[in-house]
């Protein structure tokens, strides 16, 4: 499992924040004040070190390479908040988060992209390691249902105008929960591909439907003349989630997979050392044979472990845990976002 992908996404995120600061946050009459370079830099340091620390935590949170970036990220985040509260032209207007609906929508934007990016990464790992699928086949799994999703997004836009963003956002989040729970309940080394396609379809459908409600909610909080700055919150938080998703999924997969093969070894009477050697050998065999998907069956028989099943169980636990995020947001949206108001006769 490579950590290169989660870290490389941060570069795109930094570019997005830079463009936001340059072209959006400054009203035309104040352009001469320049970009809040310090604020943008603090955002970059916070996110870069956070993703790096989470990725390194796979090898142990007590290692210097893991906890030091996380500490730097926390310090930079605090400094960013303090600066944004004092500067006259902040990169991000923190007062917007005093509104419950706005805060829910911003967090939803982060969560949607977090789940989509993380699920795609986890599916790539599971498809190649356990299901022995080629990268091309894994990519094709995302195609079915695309037209239906496009129609659903158009319908969601119309429903927002009729019923407010609240029910549309809740529906989208619950559809994503259904996709995650489907994988958590049915994942197996021999699972049917149509179930994988259905889980992908539910995740993508829920994400895009909820995104429509997120955009409407965020824009509705834009003060006069500040619509561009407020609208930039959605892609900024979305890219943050997109950067964190693969790193966090990788960490969870690694932790749960390790727990599973340790339990597997204990049930079979193998020592931790023997089990670790078998896992390392299997990983090494895959690294030296990138064109071959799946673990070597002969190697599995020699080790006495069922690593394919262990990895699958790790994926199921990962999907179960991350499914709590959209569920919690759906509850928050139900409680904090305004209901449909009755029009006067």
């Amino acid at each position: 499992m490579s950590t290169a992908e989660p870290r490389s996404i941060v570069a795109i995120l930094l570019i997005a924040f830079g463009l936001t600061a340059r072209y959006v946050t400054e009203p035309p009459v104040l352009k001469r004040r320049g970009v809040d370079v310090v604020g943008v830099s603090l955002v970059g340091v916070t996110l870069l070190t956070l993703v790096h620390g989470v990725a390194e935590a796979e090898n142990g949170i007590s290692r210097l390479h893991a906890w030091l970036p996380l500490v730097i990220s926390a310090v930079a985040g605090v400094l960013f908040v303090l600066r944004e509260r004092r500067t006259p032209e902040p990169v991000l207007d923190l007062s917007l988060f005093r509104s419950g609906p706005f805060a829910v929508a911003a967090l939803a934007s982060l969560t949607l992209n977090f789940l989509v990016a993380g699920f795609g990464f986890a599916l790539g790992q599971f498809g190649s390691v356990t299901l022995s699928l080629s990268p091309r086949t894994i990519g094709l799994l995302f195609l079915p249902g695309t037209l239906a999703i496009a129609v659903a997004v158009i319908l969601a836009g119309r429903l927002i105008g009729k019923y407010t963003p609240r029910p549309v956002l809740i529906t989208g989040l619950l559809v994503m929960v259904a996709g995650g729970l489907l994988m958590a309940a049915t994942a197996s080394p021999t699972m049917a591909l149509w179930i994988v396609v259905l889980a992908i379809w539910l995740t993508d459908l829920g994400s895009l439907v909820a995104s429509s409600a997120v955009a409407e909610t965020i824009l509705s909080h834009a003060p006069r003349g500040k619509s561009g700055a407020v609208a930039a919150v959605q892609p900024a938080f979305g890219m943050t989630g997109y950067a964190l998703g693969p790193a966090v999924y990788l960490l969870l997969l690694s932790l749960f997979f390790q727990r599973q093969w340790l339990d597997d070894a204990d049930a079979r009477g193998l020592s931790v050392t023997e089990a670790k050697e078998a896992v390392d050998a299997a990983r090494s065999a895959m690294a030296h044979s990138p064109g071959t998907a799946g673990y070597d069956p002969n190697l599995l028989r020699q080790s006495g472990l069922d690593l394919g099943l262990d990895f699958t169980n790790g994926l199921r636990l990962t999907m179960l845990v991350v499914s709590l995020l959209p569920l919690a947001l759906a509850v928050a949206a139900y409680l904090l976002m305004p209901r449909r108001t009755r029009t006067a006769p």
Side-chain angles (χ1 to χ4, degrees), residues 6-295:
R7 295 171 189 170
S8 63
I9 297 173
V10 178
I12 304 175
L13 181 60
L14 297 181
I15 294 173
F17 269 105
L19 292 176
T20 298
R22 172 63 180 87
Y23 293 106
V24 178
T25 59
E26 296 181 287
V29 296
L30 298 176
K31 276 189 175 181
R32 292 182 180 178
R33 294 192 178 186
V35 178
D36 183 8
V37 177
V38 176
V40 174
S41 299
L42 287 173
V43 170
V45 171
T46 300
L47 297 176
L48 181 63
T49 51
L50 175 60
V51 174
H52 179 78
V54 172
E56 288 291 344
E58 177 194 354
N59 300 318
I61 191 64
S62 61
R63 297 173 65 251
L64 178 65
H65 293 293
W67 65 262
L68 181 58
L70 295 177
V71 171
I72 295 175
S73 176
V75 173
V78 171
L79 292 177
F80 172 75
V81 171
L82 294 176
R83 177 173 178 80
E84 295 305 283
R85 295 178 63 180
R86 297 177 181 178
T87 184
E89 289 297 326
V91 176
L92 179 63
D93 186 359
L94 299 180
S95 65
L96 291 170
F97 291 89
R98 296 173 185 171
S99 167
F102 183 89
V104 170
L107 291 176
S109 179
L110 187 151
T111 301
L112 299 178
N113 287 272
F114 170 87
L115 294 174
V116 169
F119 180 60
F121 180 82
L123 182 62
Q125 296 286 322
F126 176 66
S128 61
V129 171
T130 305
L131 300 181
S132 299
L133 300 176
S134 66
R136 176 180 296 181
T137 302
I138 295 174
L140 291 175
L141 295 177
F142 287 84
L143 292 181
T146 303
L147 181 60
I149 291 176
V151 174
V153 171
I154 295 174
L155 177 61
R158 295 185 177 182
L159 292 176
I160 288 172
K162 186 176 182 180
Y163 297 105
T164 76
R166 179 175 176 263
V168 176
L169 177 58
I170 293 174
T171 300
L173 291 170
L174 292 180
V175 170
M176 295 193 77
V177 173
L181 293 181
L182 178 63
M183 282 297 294
T186 62
S188 72
T190 58
M191 70 183 302
L193 288 184
W194 71 266
I195 300 179
V196 181
V197 171
L198 179 59
I200 294 173
W201 184 77
L202 289 172
T203 301
D204 291 345
L205 174 64
S207 172
L208 292 174
V209 167
S211 292
S212 302
V214 166
E216 174 68 20
T217 303
I218 289 178
L219 280 175
S220 68
H221 288 76
R224 184 178 181 85
K226 293 280 189 177
S227 59
V230 176
V233 171
Q234 181 179 5
F237 272 70
M239 288 302 297
T240 301
Y242 194 80
L244 288 173
V248 174
Y249 269 71
L250 176 63
L251 176 61
L252 292 175
L253 270 173
S254 178
L255 292 175
F256 288 133
F257 176 49
Q258 182 181 38
R259 185 67 266 165
Q260 290 298 313
W261 63 255
L262 284 174
D263 291 344
D264 190 3
D266 182 66
R268 298 172 187 270
L270 298 175
S271 67
V272 174
T273 302
E274 291 173 330
K276 188 176 185 304
E277 289 177 352
V279 174
D280 290 342
R283 285 173 170 166
S284 178
M286 291 182 62
H288 287 86
S289 303
T292 303
Y295 290 111

